[in-house]
Amino acid sequence: MTALLSIERVKARYGPVEALRGVSLTVDEGEIVALIGANGAGKSTLLMTICGAPKAAEGRIVYAGQDITGTDLHDMVKLGIAQSPEGRRIFPRMTVLENLQMGAYLGDERNLSGDLERMFALFPRLAERKYQRAGTMSGGEQQMLAIGRALMSRPRLLLLDEPSLGLAPLLVAQIFATIREINRAQGVTVLLVEQNAYHALRLANRGYVLVNGEIRMSGTGQSLLDDPDIRKAYLAGGHG
Amino acid sequence: MPFPQALREALMAAFVALMLAIPLIGFRLADTMQGLAIETRFDWVAWGVSAVFVGRLVLGLLRGRGRPLGLAIKMPALPPNASTMFALVLGVFALVLPFTPLGDRYTVELAITVLIYVMLGWGLNIVVGLAGLLDLGYVAFYAVGAYSYALFAINFGWSFWLCLPIAGVLAAMFGVMLGFPVLRLRGDYLAIVTLGFGEMIRVILLNWKEFSGGSAGLTSIPRPSFFGFPFTANPEPGQTAFHELFGLEFSPLQRIIFLYYLIFALALLTNFFTLRMRKLPIGRAWEALREDEIACRALGINPTNVKLSAFALGAMFGGFAGAFFATRQGFISPESFNFIESAVILAIVVLGGMGSQLGVVIAAAFLILIPELLRDFSQYRMIMFGFAMVLIMLWRPQGLVAHREPSIRLGAKA
Ligand SMILES: Nc1ncnc2c1ncn2[C@@H]1O[C@H](COP(=O)(O)OP(=O)(O)OP(=O)(O)O)[C@@H](O)[C@H]1O
Ligand SMILES: [Mg+2]
């Protein structure tokens, strides 16, 4: 199988700070891939670099056989890459419905109502709160909205940055179940950044461990879960 | 608030008042027998500063800690479509105004002025209220519209209806011209550059005498006709005047009423256009961009196009209003397009609640009518105006109409 996304020796800098020091990873079509690592390891930077903000200083990013290294963030959706960025970044003054609609900004108007139905089936909570201002929703609801909004563009590849951040354990399980459903039922390939290594690795087909801007380890989700070093570093305290 | 803190704040306020009052009130140029002399009025300064000190102290002691002034009022819960009803009533009132007993010349002229500002407010609302781009030079587009109408009409004899779209297009082009360099700026920086742009246009108009007539301005700008039928008592041979066309007595009021309906229609056009845009992807993108640019880009929105379109369309309506202004006045000069105009228009948008169409109407009426009503107090007019502004900001810090209407509801056709 050829990779849907392959990142080849990518470096990224913020001024003098080198946040990524030659990262390579691949994501195959239909997979869920988890990227785990400590705070400041460069996980968010990697997701943003895939999308061209910041641009990769070195290396290549290939998506669906096409070199997208220099492409702008706002041209990613056209290629079929959707992102739910770090910190949710929903539009707080707009209603839930309007937020979802923004997700379909480039999409075909005719698909809109059908896609909204699908989103509301996936996240019944959002259906109840269609007309609520997004900024007044709870953190978990906002997270669902951020994912739903990204899905509204009908992506082939979905990039999620810490979807479980700040959620209660029950909601974490629910969000991960939803991600699996998005992957299985809708065939969306997912690259997932997570602090919550236990859930992320259980969900993912494969995982990568990022340390200080470099890939330190990779393997199937299960093999990483079983690795003693990983258990010590990321899974201390049981099921995170 | 504990006494020491209140005392400290009161002293601070008194100090600021002192610094302001010494140059503003303390010195006075008096015309004495020996020519001009500077008189001092430090007793006035003392009174003023004491008043500020006592007022601030009392306010500080009454006020809870860290709470905003307890003046903010909640709007009573209105039925959901109350604002629609109110807007409708206002619209009908505006429609019949010239034919009610109220509709004398003075009132209709005043109403025209209010409507010009409503239109300008709605135009700027696209840029500031919806797209969130703080533009302090909006009057430049008003000027571009006014001068382009005046120049085309004077030099080529083109009619108002031909010049109107040209004025709009030219203003929109200036909007894009301003838009390009400021795309990367936000907030304060954007405000400064747009302010400079507004002044630049005015200074060019002031100094490029061959083109714009300089400070003397442009005179005898053609007045509008009723689709080719002029409003004159004695039309030139071969022409039919408006009153002859309809078999009426000639009255100077006819032209004023026509102007009134003209600006009414233009303003409504602006409003419906904006309401429509809010439901289209581009209009929603304006609002989204104000909230979060990165998120917008992640959704495939190109901020360059979106910002430029907001600048261009906002400017276009400013241009329309400018063309109307020129034909109404028959005379324009750079005087009419100074920074104060931009400030008033911006105040209308901010006071109206940033993005609220109805709020703009109320704020425009307020800001234009209050100074007019205070004419009798001519000396204290500006002070009372300022006082009223401060009060409003204390009562309704979000603007008069802070509520944002969602742009879509399911079921209802969006
Ligand atoms: N805009 C920026 N300017 C300068 N440095 C930055 C910027 N964004 C991130 N960094 C630095 O780059 C490094 C990687 O940051 P990044 O946000 O990718 O970490 P992360 O792995 O996502 O961490 P977390 O789990 O806390 O979200 C950090 O050292 C951070 O300080
Ligand atoms: Mg991060």
Side-chain angles (χ1 to χ4, degrees):
Chain A
M1 198 192 275
T2 58
L4 177 62
L5 176 74
S6 83
I7 297 170
E8 300 164 11
R9 295 178 305 283
V10 162
K11 295 190 179 181
R13 294 194 185 92
Y14 296 109
V17 181
E18 193 158 65
L20 300 178
R21 315 169 183 210
V23 172
S24 299
L25 65 77
T26 58
V27 181
D28 290 337
E29 181 105 52
E31 262 190 326
I32 299 181
V33 172
L35 184 65
I36 62 174
N39 292 119
K43 305 181 298 295
S44 301
T45 303
L46 182 57
L47 278 202
M48 291 305 286
T49 306
I50 293 171
C51 291
K55 292 213 177 1
E58 276 175 46
R60 246 162 50 103
I61 301 164
V62 179
Y63 166 80
Q66 186 185 349
D67 188 338
I68 60 162
T69 313
T71 312
D72 279 322
L73 173 55
H74 54 256
D75 289 326
M76 290 295 155
V77 169
K78 268 180 258 172
L79 298 169
I81 303 178
Q83 191 191 42
S84 163
E86 184 165 35
R88 297 166 192 152
R89 309 198 89 128
I90 50 151
F91 303 119
R93 273 168 58 96
M94 297 182 145
T95 63
V96 169
L97 191 55
E98 286 168 324
N99 266 276
L100 289 174
Q101 223 179 357
M102 290 310 302
Y105 182 73
L106 293 179
D108 189 334
E109 189 85 19
R110 280 166 300 183
N111 294 333
L112 186 64
S113 57
D115 286 355
L116 282 172
E117 297 276 297
R118 272 195 313 132
M119 259 354 106
F120 290 141
L122 205 57
F123 301 106
R125 198 58 97 75
L126 297 184
E128 292 162 23
R129 293 169 185 274
K130 266 182 232 167
Y131 302 118
Q132 187 171 334
R133 274 178 32 180
T136 64
M137 298 209 304
S138 81
E141 290 161 351
Q142 293 189 15
Q143 190 63 61
M144 296 177 198
L145 180 58
I147 298 175
R149 187 180 64 180
L151 283 173
M152 286 299 287
S153 67
R154 301 188 155 198
R156 192 166 161 198
L157 173 65
L158 178 63
L159 308 177
L160 295 175
D161 198 337
E162 306 208 28
S164 76
L165 185 72
L167 302 191
L170 198 66
L171 262 182
V172 173
Q174 201 181 322
I175 284 274
F176 279 95
T178 308
I179 294 171
R180 174 165 310 192
E181 193 178 329
I182 292 165
N183 174 254
R184 294 238 173 102
Q186 309 187 12
V188 179
T189 305
V190 179
L191 174 58
L192 174 76
V193 162
E194 258 303 332
Q195 288 283 342
N196 198 324
Y198 172 76
H199 271 104
L201 291 175
R202 269 188 20 144
L203 171 75
N205 304 94
R206 290 186 306 115
Y208 290 86
V209 182
L210 196 63
V211 178
N212 263 331
E214 284 171 298
I215 299 287
R216 184 58 58 82
M217 225 185 287
S218 64
T220 63
Q222 193 57 49
S223 72
L224 289 176
L225 270 177
D226 294 338
D227 188 284
D229 287 344
I230 297 217
R231 293 191 82 90
K232 213 163 86 202
Y234 302 105
L235 299 173
H239 307 344
Chain B
M1 187 182 292
F3 185 74
Q5 193 192 346
L7 187 66
R8 200 165 55 235
E9 283 191 7
L11 281 173
M12 283 292 286
F15 178 72
V16 172
L18 182 68
M19 286 293 119
L20 288 173
I22 288 177
L24 290 178
I25 303 176
F27 297 102
R28 194 188 134 125
L29 215 52
D31 204 356
T32 62
M33 307 272 241
Q34 292 88 34
L36 289 178
I38 289 182
E39 235 174 47
T40 54
R41 297 190 294 192
F42 291 129
D43 49 336
W44 286 42
V45 173
W47 281 113
V49 171
S50 321
V52 168
F53 176 75
V54 173
R56 183 69 216 195
L57 190 65
V58 170
L59 215 60
L61 290 174
L62 291 179
R63 194 172 102 184
R65 203 199 182 97
R67 219 153 41 85
L69 276 181
L71 288 171
I73 39 169
K74 282 238 159 58
M75 287 287 254
L78 296 171
N81 48 9
S83 57
T84 319
M85 287 298 294
F86 183 59
L88 221 75
V89 171
L90 266 186
V92 171
F93 173 72
L95 192 65
V96 299
L97 176 71
F99 299 105
T100 60
L102 283 175
D104 58 12
R105 182 173 177 144
Y106 171 75
T107 313
V108 178
E109 289 273 14
L110 190 57
I112 291 176
T113 307
V114 170
L115 282 174
I116 292 180
Y117 282 93
V118 168
M119 178 164 178
L120 287 169
W122 277 339
L124 185 61
N125 206 13
I126 295 177
V127 184
V128 178
L130 294 181
L133 302 162
L134 186 52
D135 182 352
L136 290 182
Y138 190 65
V139 78
F141 309 122
Y142 189 40
V144 168
Y147 273 86
S148 50
Y149 168 70
L151 289 170
F152 282 118
I154 293 172
N155 296 326
F156 303 123
W158 291 356
S159 80
F160 178 75
W161 296 107
L162 178 60
C163 291
L164 185 69
I166 297 176
V169 168
L170 279 174
M173 276 163 53
F174 272 80
V176 173
M177 234 170 72
L178 169 64
F180 261 115
V182 302
L183 275 175
R184 289 166 175 282
L185 305 179
R186 41 179 73 244
D188 317 356
Y189 301 101
L190 179 65
I192 292 168
V193 175
T194 51
L195 180 106
F197 181 79
E199 282 299 283
M200 224 166 71
I201 297 285
R202 191 178 65 84
V203 170
I204 290 174
L205 290 173
L206 202 55
N207 288 296
W208 194 1
K209 296 202 172 59
E210 307 76 45
F211 175 74
S212 63
S215 60
L218 295 169
T219 47
S220 56
I221 299 167
R223 314 309 298 259
S225 62
F226 185 80
F227 304 98
F229 303 99
F231 294 94
T232 48
N234 313 302
E236 285 167 26
Q239 259 191 339
T240 315
F242 171 80
H243 64 281
E244 292 168 345
L245 182 72
F246 287 92
L248 299 169
E249 281 287 306
F250 173 77
S251 148
L253 196 57
Q254 283 159 0
R255 186 179 70 217
I256 296 169
I257 292 180
F258 173 69
L259 282 173
Y260 175 80
Y261 282 114
L262 185 58
I263 186 66
F264 185 54
L266 286 173
L268 278 188
L269 177 78
T270 314
N271 180 37
F272 286 129
F273 183 85
T274 307
L275 291 181
R276 181 77 200 122
M277 288 307 278
R278 275 199 64 203
K279 299 193 169 162
L280 296 179
I282 181 80
R284 280 199 303 265
W286 290 337
E287 285 190 77
L289 203 63
R290 176 177 73 178
E291 307 214 341
D292 193 327
E293 185 165 335
I294 296 278
C296 279
R297 294 182 60 204
L299 297 174
I301 298 168
N302 183 342
T304 305
N305 300 346
V306 173
K307 283 184 187 174
L308 284 183
S309 67
F311 269 120
L313 290 171
M316 182 181 79
F317 288 112
F320 288 160
F324 175 83
F325 177 75
T327 191
R328 178 211 185 184
Q329 300 292 43
F331 161 75
I332 50 172
S333 76
E335 272 290 278
S336 314
F337 307 105
N338 56 29
F339 170 67
I340 296 297
E341 289 298 305
S342 286
V344 168
I345 304 166
L346 185 67
I348 287 172
V349 174
V350 174
L351 217 57
M354 293 285 261
S356 161
Q357 296 291 92
L358 184 60
V360 163
V361 179
I362 299 172
F366 186 83
L367 285 195
I368 304 308
L369 293 182
I370 289 284
E372 202 53 45
L373 296 178
L374 293 178
R375 218 159 247 268
D376 295 341
F377 308 87
S378 53
Q379 275 221 44
Y380 302 103
R381 200 165 138 192
M382 284 327 276
I383 289 189
M384 290 176 78
F385 184 71
F387 193 65
M389 288 278 275
V390 170
L391 275 188
I392 290 184
M393 281 296 131
L394 286 178
W395 269 321
R396 303 275 312 153
Q398 310 284 314
L400 293 170
V401 184
H403 174 69
R404 176 185 172 277
E405 273 296 311
S407 67
I408 53 160
R409 297 196 169 274
L410 282 185
K413 185 91 182 73

